[in-house]
């Protein structure tokens, strides 16, 4: 017994070192798997507050650019207003609202929620954004995030007022995307090199691609609505050992100065996920 | 100034510098990421107890991790360099200097050659560990070697500038 105590006393620093290292590895493995770590909600609220203060100052320097983007978007949306169109018959009254059912009897599938970005990294290999919206405002894990210029990422952690988004610039990020012209679908990833370029893999060599082709989100994604802007093809790499192209995609959104984003909720997200996760039974 | 207050202010400043300045600079290349935050651990006083050193390094690394969202990624290398720091200092310093409690490692207290050896070795160790963790998740050997070399070079440059730019008064030396 005495020897054990002596041993512990002698190697106390080394034991401390080992304990802290093991703690680090546990935290690291847990955070990369599920993004649910010890104290993370509380800590996110604290770091979120600091980010908020800083972003309040930084915002002023990009007001001009933000205004331009918002005006452009407003103009685009105004063009889609119902009172820009006239009905052939004047007996019907068309109203626009955000209820579950529109005038044609279609069910609403996606709802949009604006949010202000208060933290953003681009230099690391695993980048996250922090936004000033949380579960109190209806944010849920798995919601898709887009900006007026292109998609941004997916919500991975929702605190009461602050949430964290896994940016497209994250080594584990995978989004299903397709080419606009022939709807060939591939998987959108990031190789960690340049924050302005993503990689679209698994495009079969049978499809004809040109530089500048538009890439949109595909129909297969559970959280992203289909046909949202992703970017344009910047380079075509032909891998000689496989039957697939690997495309370099210039992102639609500029990650360097992202200010406002929209969170997209798919009302049927959970239904789709639970159905896709069950193994099909043989009939 | 009271050393506890001084090092607390330094703690906050290094975190803010890393998160809001260095991490927002558009990267030159995938391999060149400016890191300087761990200079805080290198600058802690010589006389600090080893347990405190480990705990401080852990808390410091974890604070940065909560800002970047990668919990444990920076804490692990910080704890590693904090553990090896006393051994290295014992090798590099003459006996009487090592006993001066409130002195901090720096070119004034240690001399240029030992300080640079100390900084280079700990920087290389820190970045090798940090990139090794990333390498285990993705990447290849070229990524590992390239990023350790690129990141260490830019870190050492920044640390040299900080060392020359920020005058740290050495009270102990003035008394002697």
């Amino acid at each position: 017994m005495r020897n054990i105590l002596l041993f512990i006393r002698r190697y106390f620093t080394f034991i401390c070192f080992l304990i802290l290292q093991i703690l680090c590895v546990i935290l690291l493995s847990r955070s990369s798997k599920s993004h649910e770590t010890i104290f993370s909600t509380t800590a996110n609220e604290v770091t979120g507050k600091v980010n908020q203060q800083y972003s309040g100052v930084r915002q002023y320097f990009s007001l001009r650019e933000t205004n331009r983007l918002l005006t452009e978007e407003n103009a685009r949306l105004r063009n889609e207003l119902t009172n820009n169109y006239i009905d052939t018959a004047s007996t019907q009254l068309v109203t626009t609202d955000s209820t579950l059912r529109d005038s044609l009897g279609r069910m609403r599938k996606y709802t949009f929620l604006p949010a202000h970005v208060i933290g953003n990294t681009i230099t690391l290999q695993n980048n996250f954004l922090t936004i000033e919206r949380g579960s109190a405002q209806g944010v849920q894990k798995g919601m898709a995030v887009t900006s007026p210029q292109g998609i941004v990422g997916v919500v991975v952690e929702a605190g009461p007022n602050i949430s964290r988004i896994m940016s497209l610039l994250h080594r584990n990020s995978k989004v299903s995307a397709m080419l606009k012209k022939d709807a060939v679908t591939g998987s959108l990833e990031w190789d960690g090199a340049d924050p302005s370029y993503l990689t679209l893999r698994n495009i079969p060599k049978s499809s004809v691609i040109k530089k500048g082709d538009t890439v949109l989100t595909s129909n297969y994604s559970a959280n992203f609505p289909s046909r949202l802007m992703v970017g344009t093809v910047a380079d075509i790499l032909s891998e000689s050992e496989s039957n697939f192209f690997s495309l370099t995609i210039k992102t639609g959104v500029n990650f360097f100065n992202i200010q406002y984003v929209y969170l997209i909720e798919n009302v049927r997200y959970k239904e789709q996920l639970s159905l896709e996760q069950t193994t099909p039974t043989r009939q | 100034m009271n050393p506890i207050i001084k090092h607390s202010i330094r703690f906050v400043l290094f975190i803010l510098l890393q998160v809001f300045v260095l991490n927002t600079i558009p990267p030159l290349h995938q391999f060149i990421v400016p890191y300087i935050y761990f200079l805080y651990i290198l600058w802690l006083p010589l006389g600090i107890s080893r347990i405190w050193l480990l705990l401080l390094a852990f808390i410091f690394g974890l604070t940065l991790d909560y800002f970047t969202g990668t919990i444990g990624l920076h804490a692990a290398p910080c704890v590693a360099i904090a553990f090896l720091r006393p051994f290295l200092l014992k090798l590099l310093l003459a006996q009487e200097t090592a006993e001066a409690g409130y002195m901090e490692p720096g070119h004034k207290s240690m001399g240029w050659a030992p300080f640079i050896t100390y900084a280079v070795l700990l920087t290389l160790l820190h970045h090798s560990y940090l990139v090794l963790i990333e390498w285990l998740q993705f990447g290849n050997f070229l990524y590992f070697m390239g990023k350790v070399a690129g990141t260490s070079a830019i870190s050492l440059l920044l640390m040299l500038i900080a060392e020359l730019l920020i005058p740290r008064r050495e009270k102990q030396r003035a008394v002697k």
Side-chain angles (χ1 to χ4, degrees):
Chain A
M1 191 63 203
R2 194 167 155 270
N3 282 340
I4 295 173
L5 283 176
L6 271 177
F7 176 82
I8 290 175
R9 233 184 113 185
R10 181 141 184 238
Y11 294 104
F12 186 59
T13 1
F14 186 64
I15 292 166
C16 259
F17 167 68
L18 279 185
I19 291 170
L20 288 177
Q21 281 294 317
I22 292 166
L23 195 62
C24 285
V25 172
I26 292 171
L27 284 172
L28 192 65
S29 61
R30 285 186 58 158
S31 85
S32 58
K33 256 185 217 142
S34 62
H35 299 283
E36 276 170 13
T37 38
I38 312 162
F39 320 122
S40 78
T41 331
T42 344
N44 273 343
E45 289 289 311
V46 175
T47 53
K49 285 271 151 49
V50 181
N51 274 325
Q52 216 169 324
Q53 296 294 325
Y54 181 72
S55 119
V57 177
R58 252 194 80 162
Q59 221 188 335
Y60 283 102
F61 297 102
S62 55
L63 274 181
R64 186 186 290 264
E65 177 69 7
T66 314
N67 274 342
R68 190 183 65 79
L69 294 174
L70 288 176
T71 335
E72 263 174 24
E73 202 195 7
N74 271 344
R76 211 183 64 237
L77 293 177
R78 262 172 205 283
N79 279 328
E80 291 171 10
L81 279 180
T82 39
N83 55 10
N84 282 342
Y85 303 90
I86 41 164
D87 283 323
T88 45
S90 54
T91 50
Q92 261 185 334
L93 181 70
V94 178
T95 50
T96 314
D97 56 22
S98 58
T99 49
L100 275 172
R101 212 180 271 270
D102 75 359
S103 56
L104 292 173
R106 292 178 300 190
M107 295 297 283
R108 188 178 185 87
K109 192 176 174 190
Y110 298 105
T111 49
F112 287 73
L113 184 72
H116 180 200
V117 177
I118 55 172
N120 180 20
T121 60
I122 42 165
T123 52
L124 310 173
Q125 292 296 300
N126 293 332
N127 294 299
F128 293 90
L129 290 100
T130 316
I131 55 162
E132 206 184 341
R133 280 261 188 248
S135 51
Q137 290 91 33
V139 179
Q140 286 162 16
K141 220 173 134 179
M143 277 168 87
V145 181
T146 183
S147 78
Q149 291 83 44
I151 62 166
V152 173
V154 173
V155 175
V156 287
E157 231 176 282
N161 295 303
I162 308 277
S163 317
R164 193 151 261 176
I165 298 166
M166 183 203 260
S167 158
L168 286 183
L169 309 177
H170 189 291
R171 296 291 286 247
N172 296 335
S173 150
K174 253 186 199 156
V175 175
S176 170
M178 67 178 181
L179 294 163
K180 187 185 178 187
K181 66 176 169 194
D182 53 1
V184 173
T185 305
S187 145
L188 190 71
E189 288 157 32
W190 188 51
D191 60 356
D194 191 331
S196 323
Y197 294 95
L198 301 165
T199 315
L200 184 63
R201 287 182 205 289
N202 295 347
I203 297 290
K205 284 190 175 163
S206 57
S207 58
V208 185
I209 303 157
K210 272 193 199 139
K211 280 185 191 175
D213 282 358
T214 309
V215 180
L216 306 173
T217 53
S218 80
N219 305 328
Y220 307 148
S221 173
N223 37 15
F224 281 101
S226 63
R227 306 185 71 78
L228 281 181
M229 179 67 180
V230 173
T232 50
V233 175
D235 201 8
I236 304 158
L237 303 169
S238 174
E239 294 159 6
S240 55
E241 68 269 23
S242 78
N243 284 326
F244 298 106
F245 282 127
S246 175
L247 308 178
T248 309
I249 310 292
K250 174 96 175 72
T251 56
V253 53
N254 183 358
F255 280 97
F256 291 91
N257 63 359
I258 187 160
Q259 293 288 325
Y260 286 93
V261 291
Y262 297 103
L263 296 152
I264 305 170
E265 187 194 0
N266 180 356
V267 179
R268 298 178 179 173
Y269 178 62
K270 285 201 179 109
E271 188 185 333
Q272 185 172 349
L273 267 201
S274 64
L275 195 68
E276 280 173 353
Q277 274 164 3
T278 51
T279 43
T281 48
R282 225 170 270 166
Q283 293 291 321
Chain B
M1 205 193 297
N2 185 339
I4 294 176
I5 298 172
K6 187 170 81 176
H7 287 286
S8 307
I9 293 171
R10 221 176 252 178
F11 186 108
V12 176
L13 284 181
F14 268 113
I15 293 281
L16 292 182
L17 175 72
Q18 185 65 44
V19 173
F20 291 119
V21 181
L22 295 178
N23 279 357
T24 53
I25 294 175
L28 281 172
H29 187 264
Q30 184 184 6
F31 292 159
I32 302 171
V33 183
Y35 278 123
I36 200 180
Y37 72 100
F38 61 96
L39 187 58
Y40 172 74
I41 296 163
L42 265 59
W43 272 0
L44 283 171
L46 289 167
I48 191 170
S49 98
R50 293 177 58 190
I51 303 296
W52 269 113
L53 188 63
L54 282 177
L55 282 176
L56 259 178
F58 180 68
I59 296 166
F60 184 70
L62 210 60
T63 314
L64 186 70
D65 282 333
Y66 276 118
F67 273 102
T68 58
T70 44
I71 316 300
L73 181 68
H74 296 96
C78 277
V79 172
I81 58 169
F83 179 68
L84 288 177
R85 198 188 95 131
F87 296 106
L88 202 62
L89 282 175
K90 208 180 260 178
L91 281 177
L92 289 169
L93 286 182
Q95 194 60 44
E96 76 274 18
T97 338
E99 280 165 4
Y102 283 107
M103 280 175 74
E104 294 165 8
H107 73 272
K108 275 185 197 149
S109 58
M110 293 167 76
W112 273 112
F115 178 72
I116 285 179
T117 322
Y118 165 75
V120 168
L121 282 175
L122 287 187
T123 307
L124 277 177
L125 180 83
H126 175 274
H127 290 324
S128 312
Y129 196 171
L130 187 75
V131 184
L132 181 74
I133 298 173
E134 286 183 342
W135 181 30
L136 294 179
Q137 295 171 359
F138 45 73
N140 49 25
F141 189 65
L142 183 75
Y143 172 81
F144 175 73
M145 292 305 287
K147 191 159 178 187
V148 169
T151 310
S152 298
I154 194 87
S155 283
L156 284 168
L157 186 71
L158 285 173
M159 280 159 65
L160 194 69
I161 293 171
E163 184 71 27
L164 290 171
L165 209 63
I166 302 166
R168 289 178 295 145
R169 202 171 291 148
E170 294 294 347
K171 268 186 195 155
Q172 296 289 318
R173 177 146 283 205
V175 170
K176 260 180 196 174

